[in-house]
Each structure stands twice: as structure tokens, then as C-alpha cells.
Amino acid sequence: MGLLERTLARLVRDDGESRLRHLDRAGRRYTYLQIAGEVGRLGPHGRLVIGFHGLGANERQMETLVPLDVPRGSVYLSLRAPHERGHEGWSWFDPPLPTDRTPYGEAVGFVAEFVDWAKEMVGVGTDRTTLVGYSQAAPLMAAVGQLRPDLASDIVLASGALPAEVLDLGDGVPQRVFVGVGIRDTLVDPDILDALLAQWSSAQQTVRTYDIPHVVSVREAADISQWSFTSTHLPHAA
């Protein structure tokens, strides 16, 4: 590898590490990636968006899988799950596929501490906060919406493989919900998804289907971006 290649590789590596942050709060260690925007520099109409990755991945997954088109003045963070699974992979629940409801409440408690901190640092309330959950994090978002709807006005469930245990966890209802489903995604149970949306019948619901398996397509990421930032009408960064 020549000098130019080594220099570029170091710059790419340093850039990634420079956006990785650690936070100690309430006896927990949080690791998150600052994908777009700067904490403390939110615009007057900007939003705080926090992404939550799938099982066996980490905080970097959301940057590549759900690369939102973030307007100037908004902030996009991605949080690492708390339970290590090896090979730099993490899980929101322990065990990864809970057979009872206890792990959902524990995961919501972990997430709530970080979201409350991020809202305070950025300077926004619930009405300007969006939470985006992919795959295993979609059941997490379903739990957040029921147990802590005060954390965020907007919740996104992308390719959410929802187990029956995530239903009827609480009476909470988010204000707005976006659901993205691949018509070739064999991990999604449409009956459970319909049951959750019935629980949230008073929420403003947007349900989109895509000709994809268990992934997030470019089109879906664009739809999530438009849905998340449609009320801000901010110019986009070059």
C-alpha cells in the first residue's frame, strides 16, 4: 500500500472513530455513532432522529442500511445495543428472542435513559424526536410506543419481525407511526403487525410495502427520510 492509500485509509478510519461517542449514565455505558448533524447545534425547526440496529449488528449498520437524507439543523444518531453477541455484534434483548415480556421492559429502560439525555443535549422535546428501529429493534420500538410514548412523537418500524409477546405491553400510543414491510420478508407475521396497529388505531399511521426481503431498500430509506422530515421544510445540506 502506497503513502496516498495509507493516508486515505487512516483518514477514513479516523473519521469513523471521531464520530463514535461514549456516554456513562445511570450506571450504564452507552456507545453511539453521530451520523449527521452536531449535538448542541440543532436548527430552530430541526429534529432529533435516533436509529436502532438489528440483531448481531452494531451502531454503524444504520448509517449504511438506513442512510437518511438529513436536513441542515437536524441530528441523526445511532445507538449500540447493550448485549454483546460476538464479532462486533449486539442485541437489544437477552436472550435475543425473548419468550416473556420482561426483556422488553428492560430494553425500554436502557433506551429511555439515552433518549432523554439526547433530547436534553440537543434541546428538543418529544414533538421533535423520531426513533427508527430495524429488524430486532422494531419490536423494541413497539415496546417503546406502548411503555414510553413520551420519549418520541414519531416511531419507525422497518422490517419488523414482531413476536406475539410484544402485544399488549401497555396502553401507550405514539403520535405517528411509519411501518415499512417487504412483501418477500418471511420473518414478518402480518397478523401480529395488524394487531399492533389496531392497538395504535388512534395514531397517525403510514404503512408502506416494498418488493424486498428482510432488508431496507433505497426507496424505503427515502420514504423514511421524507416522512421524518416532511414537517420541517428545511433546506438540505449539499
Side-chain angles (χ1 to χ4, degrees):
M1 181 183 291
L3 176 61
L4 177 59
E5 289 81 3
R6 290 198 302 272
T7 302
L8 289 174
R10 177 177 56 78
L11 288 174
V12 170
R13 182 172 62 253
D14 289 349
D15 179 66
E17 291 303 320
S18 70
R19 293 183 292 113
L20 196 65
R21 302 282 190 270
H22 302 285
L23 168 71
D24 292 312
R25 182 177 172 92
R28 300 182 174 104
R29 165 56 66 101
Y30 292 90
T31 299
Y32 66 97
L33 186 67
Q34 194 164 305
I35 298 176
E38 295 185 39
V39 174
R41 295 190 181 182
L42 201 73
H45 303 290
R47 293 193 68 85
L48 168 65
V49 179
I50 305 176
F52 302 85
H53 60 78
L55 173 63
N58 59 38
E59 66 283 353
R60 298 184 186 279
Q61 182 185 52
M62 299 302 286
E63 183 174 32
T64 55
L65 187 67
V66 191
L68 301 183
D69 187 14
V70 180
R72 275 194 228 101
S74 291
V75 173
Y76 184 20
L77 308 177
S78 178
L79 180 64
R80 177 188 295 177
H83 303 290
E84 190 170 6
R85 297 293 297 167
H87 304 291
E88 298 186 356
W90 302 78
S91 170
W92 296 105
F93 311 115
D94 185 21
L97 301 175
T99 56
D100 64 77
R101 300 184 176 190
T102 302
Y104 293 101
E106 294 174 347
V108 169
F110 176 83
V111 165
E113 285 288 346
F114 180 80
V115 174
D116 282 339
W117 170 84
K119 288 161 62 177
E120 180 181 351
M121 291 299 100
V122 172
V124 297
T126 298
D127 61 322
R128 291 165 62 188
T129 302
T130 300
L131 307 182
V132 181
Y134 165 68
S135 191
Q136 190 201 42
L140 172 62
M141 294 299 98
V144 167
Q146 295 174 77
L147 298 175
R148 289 294 307 272
D150 59 301
L151 290 178
S153 60
D154 295 9
I155 288 180
V156 175
L157 284 71
S159 299
L162 303 179
E165 289 79 10
V166 83
L167 298 175
D168 300 313
L169 287 175
D171 297 328
V173 179
Q175 296 179 34
R176 298 204 315 159
V177 182
F178 179 100
V179 178
V181 181
I183 60 176
R184 293 185 283 120
D185 190 342
T186 58
L187 298 181
V188 175
D189 186 326
D191 293 334
I192 297 178
L193 177 58
D194 287 345
L196 177 65
L197 293 177
Q199 278 185 229
W200 287 348
S201 59
S202 61
Q204 180 183 332
Q205 300 179 3
T206 299
V207 180
R208 300 273 175 86
T209 58
Y210 306 89
D211 187 15
I212 55 174
H214 192 70
V215 295
V216 174
S217 66
V218 173
R219 173 63 184 274
E220 183 177 359
D223 287 345
I224 293 172
S225 291
Q226 183 180 29
W227 181 86
S228 297
F229 300 111
T230 188
S231 62
T232 60
H233 304 294
L234 292 175
H236 286 70

